[in-house]
Amino acid sequence: DLEREEPDPDRRLDLARVGQLTARQRRGAELLLTLAGPGPARRWERPVPLDALLRAAVAHTVPQGRRERRVELLVAGEAQVVGPAAADLVHLVAELVDNAVTFSPPTAAVAVTGGRDGAGWLIEVGDRGLGMTDEELAWANQRLAGGQRADPADLAAGDRLGLVVAGRLAARHGIGVRLTRSAAGGVTAAVRLPAALLSGPAAAPVQAR
């Protein structure tokens, strides 16, 4: 609200940076909680629109001033995600978007798309970055399969630790995540939401706790 109502463009940018820093700090705290415990750090009670969750994921990763030209978001159709899975889905997609932005040239866009996939929903995060070797793809997809305890090598992975966290979050809700090479170069992350995570329209605005 402060950012929207502030008439000074420089102050609006400063407020946007504060919001971005706060979001990244929260992501860092949730990353540690994901590695340490079984439950989400926060949750919603009611279903949440999928497009709102994807916008939140993008906002958590890309600075305000560069968001429009770095990440292209396109959702075909409407869907609602059940409240208990909403926060984890934001964190999961944010980790994938952050990975795509980090390993792409500064001028290259990252595409986030969503659409129906049978009874479920398919979200794809595609970049035109450096790509990954066969060994890197195998390592990443093994971690994205989720469920296993992180070993010291995982915790020391640094720039790949987000993939370990994404795998944990996906396993928690039965979400399928897999990386493949894209035809345009770079990597595409496919996130498949099962029908059990989708719901009808929310009856009232969501409340976080």
Side-chain angles (χ1 to χ4, degrees):
D1 290 341
L2 289 172
E3 181 184 343
R4 183 172 59 251
E5 295 170 4
E6 173 57 54
D8 187 323
D10 291 332
R11 288 180 62 85
R12 280 202 306 272
L13 183 58
D14 288 340
L15 288 168
R17 288 169 176 163
V18 170
Q20 174 68 15
L21 177 60
T22 302
R24 293 189 71 88
Q25 288 177 324
R26 183 172 63 193
R27 271 185 65 213
E30 291 178 349
L31 182 150
L32 295 176
L33 288 170
T34 299
L35 292 174
R42 56 196 170 96
R43 61 185 295 169
W44 282 271
E45 295 295 339
R46 298 178 182 273
V48 186
L50 177 61
D51 61 343
L53 297 179
L54 295 181
R55 287 197 302 272
V58 172
H60 284 190
T61 57
V62 184
Q64 180 80 21
R66 300 184 304 171
R67 187 179 307 162
E68 290 78 11
R69 71 172 183 265
R70 284 307 312 267
V71 179
E72 300 170 349
L73 177 60
L74 177 61
V75 179
E78 297 181 358
Q80 302 273 342
V81 176
V82 296
D88 279 350
L89 181 60
V90 170
H91 192 175
L92 190 163
V93 175
E95 294 296 344
L96 297 174
V97 172
D98 195 47
N99 189 68
V101 169
T102 299
F103 290 97
S104 295
T107 57
V110 171
V112 181
T113 61
R116 284 284 177 185
D117 182 37
W121 201 272
L122 175 64
I123 301 166
E124 291 188 326
V125 179
D127 67 64
R128 298 186 179 183
L130 303 176
M132 301 175 74
T133 66
D134 290 341
E135 292 77 11
E136 289 172 331
L137 279 173
W139 183 94
N141 283 322
Q142 183 180 20
R143 270 62 185 179
L144 288 170
Q148 77 270 28
R149 296 178 62 85
D151 59 34
D154 289 338
L155 298 178
D159 53 11
R160 302 294 189 187
L161 182 58
L163 298 179
V164 178
V165 172
R168 293 285 190 88
L169 296 169
R172 184 180 291 169
H173 300 285
I175 299 171
V177 186
R178 186 166 183 81
L179 301 184
T180 59
R181 291 191 183 89
S182 62
V187 172
T188 297
V191 181
R192 286 183 165 82
L193 306 183
L197 296 187
L198 303 179
S199 176
V206 298
Q207 297 292 327
R209 68 174 178 87

